[in-house]
Amino acid sequence: MAFRFNYTNRGRILLSEAEIRAVPGEPRLTVYLTSDFKAQTKYTATDVVVIEAYRFTKAQRVELGTVGEMPNKVKIVFDEFADALNVKYRLKIVDPETKRLKGLAKKVTANDTPEKPSDLEPILPVAMADAEDGLGDCFWKVAFPASANGPVLMLNGKKLSHEAVKSEAFKALAWPSVLEAVLTEICIVNAPSFPSWATKWMTFVNDILGVEGAPDEWDPEKLDFTGYIKNATDWIAAAKVAFSRHFSLSSVAIKGLTKEDGNG
């Protein structure tokens, strides 16, 4: 659908309504658009959202669908751009019937500050382990107590402080494996029926990390269990890689991560 815009009575798209965040390490320019257009009374569900990336004289436009259908966070690939250097963006919201431009944001720059794994905090409580939790010499483990209705990250208080979870070293060394443990519990340990708390984790992987193709609950009439396990394992591995890339967890120093042994 191509638009010739009618600029009459156009409004501004405010910074509070939308954020563009560049994704590092992709072969083509890739961004996430996080928006709050559905909550704005000035738009209707049928209004169309358009984003345009431009650098000097080069531009590429992508139509994202309607306000009503578009998710709050959407991944966009501009395959005509190799990188995000000096790229700016225009956002437009258009009435498809009148072609009136109802919202416009010009010269938007992407937020290059990576999102932090603190995004997990609302869905993954952190607690200090008791002696009976059986961590032994392990630094941490993911537990699935029935009383918690979901996973809990248990820390060995003899080796880690609660603040260690926020350190770059812990994020790089532990968080991808934490995610792997949770997704394995959902998709493999609990197959064929996902636990009730799984939805928010599957949404996190799909919407935040952008990893599609999540395994459906196992149906033995459609796929043998070996095939299901292979699909689930591949998807979990892809989610783990995407998590590390998304949060820029490459190489970090581990100095200062562990506690000093007071007995030595």
Side-chain angles (χ1 to χ4, degrees), residues 39-183:
Q40 309 301 316
T41 57
K42 57 188 174 182
Y43 310 128
T44 65
T46 57
D47 290 339
V48 177
V49 182
V50 178
I51 186 171
E52 184 179 72
Y54 66 97
R55 177 164 54 198
F56 307 121
T57 59
K58 182 177 182 179
Q60 182 180 359
R61 187 172 70 186
V62 177
E63 294 178 12
L64 302 177
T66 66
V67 169
E69 296 174 345
M70 198 178 80
N72 290 339
K73 184 165 186 175
V74 60
K75 184 178 183 179
I76 307 155
V77 178
F78 295 99
D79 53 17
E80 296 182 15
F81 290 85
D83 56 55
L85 184 64
N86 295 323
V87 174
K88 292 183 173 61
Y89 307 87
R90 295 187 189 95
L91 277 169
K92 301 172 183 178
I93 298 182
V94 187
D95 184 325
E97 297 296 327
T98 65
K99 308 301 185 290
R100 183 169 71 88
L101 194 62
K102 299 176 72 172
L104 174 67
K106 299 188 295 183
K107 298 183 180 180
V108 180
T109 56
N111 185 348
D112 293 321
T113 303
E115 295 177 82
K116 300 300 182 183
S118 58
D119 285 356
L120 287 181
E121 290 177 1
I123 56 176
L124 183 68
V126 178
M128 287 296 176
D130 296 323
E132 57 268 23
D133 288 316
L135 261 68
D137 289 330
C138 295
F139 285 73
W140 60 270
K141 75 172 184 179
V142 181
F144 300 90
S147 59
N149 190 30
V152 177
L153 178 61
M154 308 296 296
L155 303 182
N156 188 333
K158 294 181 180 180
K159 295 181 176 293
L160 292 174
S161 69
H162 206 290
E163 290 299 309
V165 179
K166 301 178 182 179
S167 73
E168 294 299 318
F170 189 88
K171 293 170 186 175
L173 296 173
W175 277 107
S177 295
V178 169
L179 179 69
E180 181 180 36
V182 172
L183 297 182

Side-chain angles (χ1 to χ4, degrees), residues 189-259:
V189 175
N190 280 283
S193 297
F194 295 162
S196 59
W197 51 263
T199 301
K200 53 193 175 185
W201 284 90
M202 305 296 266
T203 300
F204 172 79
V205 175
N206 184 71
D207 292 354
I208 303 298
L209 303 185
V211 181
E212 300 177 345
D216 296 324
E217 294 185 2
W218 176 50
D219 184 347
E221 295 183 359
K222 296 181 180 179
L223 186 67
D224 64 88
F225 194 61
T226 301
Y228 171 83
I229 292 295
K230 176 65 167 58
N231 291 348
T233 302
D234 289 347
W235 181 76
I236 292 169
K240 188 177 178 182
V241 170
F243 183 91
S244 297
R245 182 176 63 244
H246 181 73
F247 293 122
S248 302
L249 304 179
S250 52
S251 57
V252 296
I254 62 171
K255 183 179 179 180
L257 174 62
T258 59
K259 284 185 172 181

